[in-house]
Amino acid sequence: MIDHPIILKHLEFSFGIQKNALTWVKLYLANRTQCVSVANKTSPDVGLLFGVPQGSVLGPKNYCMNTKPDSEIIKRYNIKYNCYADDTHVYITWKSSDKWDDISSSIEACIAVISSWRKSNMLKLNKDKTENSLFSHPSNMQRKLRIFALR
């Protein structure tokens, strides 16, 4: 759920969107409503103070722009990552000679900082959907890959 004032602040200060373009996005997000229809009955409209319109072209872009700091945090920890919409995978490769405690501490610290940043920006790191996996190639036990899916 994207908070409208927060996304507008990010657009202005992180991406340089100003004046008419920022006003256009502000108006695009303003005065949105939703309702539910079931069996020919429709609920009253409810105002939307958070989020972006589903199915819109700007929705995924706004979400990605609002979570861009995730990638900046991940880079600070020298961890690799891939993002697709609201799915972020962080991963790290290491050799068996590397110290797992150091690697594990780095990943845990990175995820803690992301979680804290998201919380302060009214976004949630869903711990129930966050998972980790360990992969190694049978012929080469020297290299291992650890992937954490952040959602």
Side-chain angles (χ1 to χ4, degrees):
M1 299 294 287
I2 294 176
D3 180 76
H4 294 173
I6 291 175
I7 187 63
L8 293 168
K9 179 181 75 171
H10 284 295
L11 291 173
E12 183 176 5
F13 296 109
S14 298
F15 296 96
I17 297 173
Q18 299 176 352
K19 299 180 183 174
N20 291 343
L22 190 63
T23 300
W24 182 82
V25 174
K26 188 177 195 176
L27 292 171
Y28 174 77
L29 294 173
N31 301 316
R32 294 267 177 189
T33 61
Q34 72 178 15
C35 64
V36 177
S37 293
V38 177
N40 295 329
K41 293 185 179 183
T42 302
S43 70
D45 284 348
V46 176
L48 297 175
L49 303 174
F50 304 96
V52 293
Q54 295 294 313
S56 68
V57 173
L58 286 180
K61 291 184 185 309
N62 279 337
Y63 181 85
C64 290
M65 293 169 92
N66 201 44
T67 58
K68 183 179 183 289
D70 284 358
S71 63
E72 295 165 357
I73 293 166
I74 294 166
K75 286 177 188 176
R76 276 191 255 147
Y77 287 88
N78 295 318
I79 297 173
K80 297 176 180 98
Y81 68 96
N82 290 315
C83 298
Y84 181 77
D86 64 347
D87 228 1
T88 301
H89 292 186
V90 296
Y91 58 95
I92 191 163
T93 58
W94 76 94
K95 297 178 182 168
S96 59
S97 60
D98 294 337
K99 294 182 180 176
W100 170 245
D101 288 344
D102 294 341
I103 294 165
S104 179
S105 295
S106 180
I107 292 172
E108 289 173 10
C110 177
I111 292 172
V113 171
I114 289 170
S115 182
S116 175
W117 181 88
R118 283 188 174 195
K119 185 176 181 180
S120 69
N121 284 273
M122 298 185 62
L123 294 168
K124 181 182 177 186
L125 180 62
N126 191 336
K127 293 181 181 181
D128 292 337
K129 291 185 176 181
T130 299
E131 46 191 51
N132 72 75
S133 305
L134 175 63
F135 299 95
S136 63
H137 193 280
S139 66
N140 184 1
M141 294 302 286
Q142 295 295 314
R143 297 203 116 208
K144 296 182 181 180
L145 175 64
R146 188 93 180 192
I147 299 177
F148 290 83
L150 308 176
R151 295 184 179 127

